[in-house]
Amino acid sequence: MEEQKKPVILSGITPSGVLMIGHYMGAIRNWVALQHEYECFFMVADLHAITVRQTPADLRRRTLDIAAGYIACGIDPDLCTLFVQSHVPEHTQLTWVLNCLTSMGEASRMTQFKDKSGENAENNNVGLFTYPVLMAADILLYQADLVPVGDDQKQHLELTRNLAERFNFRYSPTFTVPEPFIPPVGARVMSLQEPTKKMSKSDKNEKATLFISDTDDAIRMKIKRAVTDSGTDIRFDEKNRPGVANLMTLYSTATGKSNAEIEREFEGLGYAEFKEAAAEAMVGFMRPMRERFLELRSDTTMLNALLAKGAETARNRARRTLRKVYKKVGFAELG
Ligand code: ATP
Ligand code: LTN
């Protein structure tokens, strides 16, 4: 019997910092759960990273950090195609074709572009403008059916769908029109220092973020110094008590306990006892990730071999799509 083709998933993270617990909870945890049922492509989006000025040595190091981080968080390179975006030149090649299909108006409406280009004049580059088109190329090259992304990337997914439909209509059916896969609310981890802001790998204040490379003591220190609210009891109230609610989300992930169970566990106890327990739970939860991460990072030859294999698989797939696109657009073939 012919084996049924698995639906395709593609996603990626930009190497603008080290992986942190927010990536695990909001993104990679879902990827891990999906990797058996889907044909998965997970990439390190280094082409996207240079829309913000990067120090070359840092970019190089962080690219490998993110790749090792994926595996440390449970992505199995034997089940998934794990690769670095710049290793597959078809991404930039398809971007050009899609750029010529995108109107100035629709690119200008992207809220991430408006936010990021407005942040400082120095960073107002054309790459930032065409960032969502590159993202569309990432997705369409692999004929992805499903794209797990955070809420902030939903608009880029909508553009991707429009570009796929436009190309298919103008030429002939070529691209799969992808669906977004947005994780349920509650998957968002907030900054430990400003709990109304999301935890971010590029936060200037290191105490705000739990990185997967953090030592046991760093994790304990960050949780114990996490900003909490003026209340005293342990109750889940995201709106009025975002600091405690955030720590409860972390504790819940590490222990599998529900918010109601946590509230019962800490009834009559205060923030200090709760933080102590949350710190120990996170130390235990994150230790195996850190150990695996450090092990992978200490063997660059092995990591590069894995990425070379991933790039080859990705290129084979990407090349097939690009060849069709070039032909349909009317680029003359040599033979
Ligand atoms: P930066 O701050 O460098 O712009 P970031 O750290 O906010 O980036 P991204 O690289 O934009 O993170 O995010 C990659 C993926 O991880 C996205 O799917 C995003 O939704 C998810 N993610 C990022 N931060 C969090 C968070 N705090 N909680 C849950 N999910 C998150
Ligand atoms: N822009 C995304 C990262 C990203 C991505 C993609 C996600 C680049 N290419 C393709 C999904 C599919 C971000 O900032 N989170």
Side-chain angles (χ1 to χ4, degrees), residues 10-14 43 45 48 131 135 138-139 147-149 153:
L10 176 129
S11 200
I13 294 181
T14 311
M43 57 165 203
H48 278 105
Y131 177 117
M135 189 163 153
D138 300 338
I139 297 165
V147 185
V149 280
Q153 300 295 311

Side-chain angles (χ1 to χ4, degrees), residues 13 16 20 22-23 26-27 116 150 187-189 198-202:
I13 294 181
S16 52
M20 45 101 192
H23 292 121
K116 293 216 168 171
R188 175 143 293 209
V189 186
K198 74 165 190 163
M199 185 182 279
S200 163
K201 61 175 149 27
S202 39

Side-chain angles (χ1 to χ4, degrees), residues 241-255:
R241 308 257 203 100
V244 168
N246 192 37
L247 292 181
M248 286 176 78
T249 303
L250 292 174
Y251 186 62
S252 162
T253 305
T255 58

Side-chain angles (χ1 to χ4, degrees), residues 27-300:
I28 303 173
R29 181 168 58 159
N30 290 318
W31 303 358
V32 171
L34 297 164
Q35 65 184 339
H36 293 276
E37 284 152 63
Y38 291 83
E39 182 181 8
C40 293
F41 292 86
F42 296 123
M43 57 165 203
V44 184
D46 59 344
L47 297 173
H48 278 105
I50 64 163
T51 54
V52 175
R53 195 163 172 169
Q54 302 285 337
T55 305
D58 289 348
L59 179 60
R60 205 170 289 128
R61 178 173 44 80
R62 285 169 174 167
T63 298
L64 296 185
D65 284 347
I66 300 274
Y70 284 169
I71 302 172
C73 289
I75 298 296
D76 181 347
D78 289 328
L79 282 177
C80 309
T81 301
L82 181 64
F83 68 103
V84 175
Q85 193 183 24
S86 68
H87 293 164
V88 183
E90 285 78 3
H91 289 249
T92 33
Q93 293 175 297
L94 181 61
T95 300
W96 178 251
V97 176
L98 297 178
N99 268 338
C100 297
L101 218 69
T102 310
S103 76
M104 291 295 286
E106 62 190 343
S108 313
R109 279 194 294 278
M110 296 292 123
T111 53
Q112 181 177 301
F113 165 68
K114 287 196 274 188
D115 292 349
K116 293 216 168 171
S117 61
E119 272 169 18
N120 63 53
E122 205 189 302
N123 193 32
N124 206 347
N125 64 72
V126 178
L128 211 52
F129 187 62
T130 184
Y131 177 117
V133 184
L134 173 60
M135 189 163 153
D138 300 338
I139 297 165
L140 300 180
L141 270 179
Y142 301 93
Q143 308 287 2
D145 296 279
L146 212 57
V147 185
V149 280
D151 202 34
D152 56 330
Q153 300 295 311
K154 218 168 142 186
Q155 203 188 19
H156 295 164
L157 239 295
E158 211 37 60
L159 175 74
T160 305
R161 289 169 56 83
N162 289 339
L163 291 175
E165 279 166 358
R166 196 169 303 156
F167 190 97
N168 290 348
F169 179 76
R170 189 170 297 180
Y171 300 98
S172 62
T174 308
F175 293 125
T176 302
V177 181
E179 297 286 340
F181 178 85
I182 315 272
V185 277
R188 175 143 293 209
V189 186
M190 310 310 280
S191 153
L192 297 175
Q193 290 297 311
E194 282 175 76
T196 49
K197 221 178 75 180
K198 74 165 190 163
M199 185 182 279
S200 163
K201 61 175 149 27
S202 39
D203 201 310
K204 300 227 162 30
N205 184 349
E206 281 212 354
K207 289 210 287 291
T209 308
L210 290 175
F211 294 103
I212 69 157
S213 50
D214 280 346
T215 60
D216 289 353
D217 283 344
I219 299 170
R220 280 192 193 100
M221 181 275 285
K222 287 179 185 181
I223 294 199
K224 289 188 184 159
R225 300 212 190 134
V227 169
T228 36
D229 331 276
S230 57
T232 49
D233 55 334
I234 308 306
R235 196 154 40 78
F236 191 82
D237 180 352
E238 266 180 316
K239 194 156 169 277
N240 300 307
R241 308 257 203 100
V244 168
N246 192 37
L247 292 181
M248 286 176 78
T249 303
L250 292 174
Y251 186 62
S252 162
T253 305
T255 58
K257 292 176 187 165
S258 69
N259 287 333
E261 284 170 318
I262 301 171
E263 286 174 1
R264 244 176 286 126
E265 183 181 353
F266 291 94
E267 210 167 339
L269 300 173
Y271 282 0
E273 287 92 344
F274 173 57
K275 278 184 166 180
E276 181 78 41
E280 287 319 309
M282 286 314 285
V283 163
F285 185 70
M286 293 178 70
R287 188 180 292 137
M289 280 183 192
R290 177 186 62 239
E291 286 174 353
R292 183 87 178 101
F293 171 77
L294 294 176
E295 189 190 326
L296 289 156
R297 267 323 254 121
S298 68
D299 190 350
T300 312

